Structure formats: structure tokens, C-alpha cells
Amino acid sequence: MGSIYLIRHGQASFGADDYDVLSPIGVRQAEILGQHLAELGICFDRCLAGDLRRQQHTATSALAQFTAKGLAVPPMETDAAFNEFDADAVIRALIPAMLADEPEAIDILRNAAQNRAEFQRIFALVIERWLAGTYDTPGLESWLGFVERVQAGLQRILEQADGQQKIAVFTSGGTITALLHLITRMPARQAFELNWQIVNTSLNQLKFRGREVALASFNSHAHLQLLKAPELITFR
């Protein structure tokens, strides 16, 4: 059987003007991941990433650890199918209809870094509406559209793979959630309950034979746990 390793990007710049930049912790997480994989002798036949900077930077930082140990690294491939959904666009589209019930929502979202718990509560409510599909607006990628995009990316990998390959995909939490939903057939809301638990640079392994795909492991972050440094275990 072949293996696909879905790797969540390192910690991004939550609460900053540009989220799509790895924080110093995010870079360190990626380096630790690369060192861990290299020490385990897990060498990849293919490496892909979405085209978001946090995904690309995580990939280059992790794979540099292989190169430093003299291990071969395949060329990096980019497939935007593995990009995260546009959370800012979802919030902008759906938050206005929520203000009657959540009048402080905009202030909470503008000061997310100082209101992490409230931000998560509001964001979870927004996601519930997005998943329902009844609040879709023109120009906004729907949940179903997002799932179809991610599924198309997975199918491209399977079509080009042979049965023994090890393939790394550097991606995001929402993308991993969509794949969990597709592969395990769990309801979308249940999948997003797991989404909130996905650790930055965690490993999620899929096993495949032909077009058949199964979940082998979820949210493994032993590479961070072994260092006994709680600050390295982050969720955004």
C-alpha cells in the first residue's frame, strides 16, 4: 500500500495583519518535524503543497532538514486544491446576519489575538452556518465547493501514484477536515469538531491502494511532545 502524509502548516501569525506568514514558533515546528521524519527514515517519493505561503514555508523548512542530513528530496509540487478555505471571506459574508444575536462579534473578530476564546466561539458559529449551505452568497466558495476542490486534488494524486509511494502533502486544517469528511464519511459538523484539535505540523496518514483510501492515523504530533516544550503545541 501507498501512504499520503497530510501535514498541517506550522503556527501562522494569528491576530496579525497578514495571517499567512509563519511565526518563529511555526518555523521551529516545521524544522522539528523535518528532523523527526529524517531520523525515522521516512523519505518521500513526492512532495506537494498548496500555494499559500504558510504551507510552502512549512514544506521548505521541513524538507531542508532532509537535505542537511544528505537525504534526497523530490522536487516540490504545488497544487492549489490543498489550499485552506478563505476563512476571512466566509466571515465577511456570513457575519452581518449574525449581528442581531452577536452584537459584539465584529469587535471580537478585530481583536482576535486578545479574545481567543470568544473568537473561537464566534468562528465556530460562522462555520456552522457555512456548513449548512443555506447562507451561501455569490462568489463565496461553499463548503460543498471546497470539498469538491479538495477531492479533486486527492484524485489527481491517486491517478499519478503507484501502490508503494510515500507522498507528503503540506496543507491546512480545513483541508485535512474535508478529507476526513470524505474518507471516513463522518458528518461535516463532527469533522469540524476534530478540526479544532489539529495541531500545527501534525501528521495525518492515509493509506491507499488504487482509488481506495483509508485513514491510518490522525493528528500525530509526537515530534513536538517529545521535546516537552508546551509552547510548541499550537492550534493556529
Side-chain angles (χ1 to χ4, degrees), residues 32-155:
I32 292 166
L33 171 67
Q35 292 165 5
H36 178 72
L37 292 172
E39 288 168 2
L40 289 177
I42 299 177
C43 294
F44 298 114
D45 299 292
R46 293 181 66 194
C47 293
L48 299 91
D51 63 16
L52 300 177
R53 281 180 291 167
R54 59 189 183 273
Q55 299 169 340
Q56 293 274 330
H57 195 180
T58 299
T60 56
S61 297
L63 296 175
Q65 308 310 306
F66 286 75
T67 303
K69 292 182 179 293
L71 300 173
V73 176
M76 175 60 63
E77 304 172 45
T78 298
D79 189 337
F82 298 106
N83 285 1
E84 182 64 284
F85 67 90
D86 189 341
D88 287 343
V90 171
I91 289 171
R92 287 194 301 271
L94 302 187
I95 204 70
M98 297 173 57
L99 292 178
D101 296 324
E102 299 287 347
E104 298 181 359
I106 292 177
D107 287 337
I108 291 168
L109 294 170
R110 284 175 176 165
N111 299 281
Q114 290 74 44
N115 298 279
R116 288 176 179 263
E118 277 297 283
F119 170 85
Q120 180 58 36
R121 184 182 67 82
I122 295 295
F123 187 54
L125 291 175
V126 171
I127 291 300
E128 280 189 18
R129 290 185 170 226
W130 185 54
L131 295 178
T134 54
Y135 300 90
D136 290 348
T137 60
L140 178 69
E141 183 177 44
S142 67
W143 162 249
L144 291 179
F146 175 57
V147 170
E148 288 175 359
R149 164 163 66 83
V150 174
Q151 185 175 31
L154 175 62
Q155 291 305 312

Side-chain angles (χ1 to χ4, degrees), residues 4-24:
I4 299 172
Y5 294 85
L6 303 172
I7 300 166
R8 190 186 179 198
H9 62 76
Q11 184 189 61
S13 299
F14 181 70
D17 290 339
D18 188 353
Y19 175 75
D20 194 22
V21 176
L22 289 188
S23 71

